[in-house]
Amino acid sequence: MDITKPIDNLFSAKDLVVVITGGGSGIGLAFASALAKGNASKVFLLGRRLPVLEEAANSIDPNIVQAVQCDVTDPSSISAAVSQIEKQTSYVDVLINNAGIEGPDHKQIKAANTIAELQAEMLKEWDLWTPTWQTNTAAVIAVTGAFLHLLDAGNKRRGWVENKREVQQRVDGYTGDLSDTRTSQIITVTSISSFNREITASLAYTASKAGATVLGKSLANLLAPFGIRSNIIAPGRFPSAMTAGAETVYPVNKVPAGVPGQFEDMAGVVLYLVSRAGAYVNGNVQVCDGGRLSVMPAMY
């Protein structure tokens, strides 16, 4: 290794084009702010509520951050979003699958004292299971599939060969920066609920996020011959609309850090993954939970 190389811009998002689903609030908004501050070229925020997205974009930098209305459970809506983005760019470097909903409320399930009470808790709000799976799990594939050609174009602009290959290599005559070995990337935001046996939100949420985590790993395997990476971020408790009203101080046997994660914590993770510092990362799960899994029973 050449240890004399400069590292001044190692964690920079400079010139990247990024798409974020569920980007109007919470973790998605934190990503957008971090990437804009890291000198990304364009950040497209996708979500159902256009006014919320526009307010989010204006709160950061409307010259960089753009609002695009999109329902990630509707293939026609996703296609329309892709078409709108293609009017502004011919490629995408990073796609962040961040959209998510909590689903049916099972927070009180551990308070059940009888089988009847347990049955009632497990079976309530059954109609909310399907939209939870559609948003948290199936949308990972629907959105990723719709953006694959733009991610491939992101690789092409960096000189990487197109389509399936046996060796990751650049085309003959490429005159760009050979020291930048990044390839296009998909980042799927799941949750430590993917690994946690304890029910903290809902059974549907836990199952759907575990499914999304597995899909993120599967995409790394599936897309490796095409030069597109796939990584997963599994956050613990962070401020968001979903966690509004939750505790803000924790005992160390619940969250060793003692508090929810903050903007800097999530900004650091996403900048690591999209920058040169994360170029060699593929198929990984980046847990950011203040140590919560270290003191709670994990699934695997």
Side-chain angles (χ1 to χ4, degrees), residues 69-83 142:
Q69 191 167 28
C70 177
D71 180 351
V72 298
T73 68
D74 181 352
S76 63
S77 180
I78 298 170
S79 295
V82 171
S83 296

Side-chain angles (χ1 to χ4, degrees), residues 42 44 79-91 150:
K42 285 288 184 184
F44 295 97
S79 295
V82 171
S83 296
Q84 184 174 339
I85 289 170
E86 285 180 312
K87 293 177 182 177
Q88 298 190 57
T89 180
S90 60
Y91 65 89
L150 291 177

Side-chain angles (χ1 to χ4, degrees), residues 3-44:
I3 64 170
T4 66
K5 292 181 179 178
I7 60 171
D8 303 39
N9 297 311
L10 190 59
F11 292 91
S12 172
K14 184 175 174 57
D15 295 334
L16 294 179
V17 174
V18 184
V19 172
I20 306 172
T21 68
S25 62
I27 289 174
L29 184 58
F31 288 153
S33 179
L35 292 164
K37 289 179 171 68
N39 296 315
S41 173
K42 285 288 184 184
V43 179
F44 295 97

Side-chain angles (χ1 to χ4, degrees), residues 13 23 31 40 47 57 72 75 84 120 122 132-133 150 152 173 188 194 208 221 225 228 238 247 267 278 292:
F31 288 153
V72 298
Q84 184 174 339
M122 291 177 69
T132 304
W133 276 95
L150 291 177
D152 185 57
T188 299
S194 301
S208 65
N221 179 277
I228 297 173
F238 276 79
E247 298 171 282
R292 191 170 184 175

Side-chain angles (χ1 to χ4, degrees), residues 140-180:
V140 171
I141 298 303
V143 174
T144 297
F147 278 95
L148 276 183
H149 65 293
L150 291 177
L151 290 164
D152 185 57
N155 278 336
K156 184 179 179 181
R157 85 176 182 101
R158 293 179 180 274
W160 298 113
V161 297
E162 295 181 84
N163 297 317
K164 186 176 285 188
R165 76 292 302 265
E166 293 185 2
V167 178
Q168 182 67 9
Q169 61 186 15
R170 285 188 161 105
V171 296
D172 292 338
Y174 177 67
T175 58
D177 186 357
L178 293 173
S179 69
D180 187 351

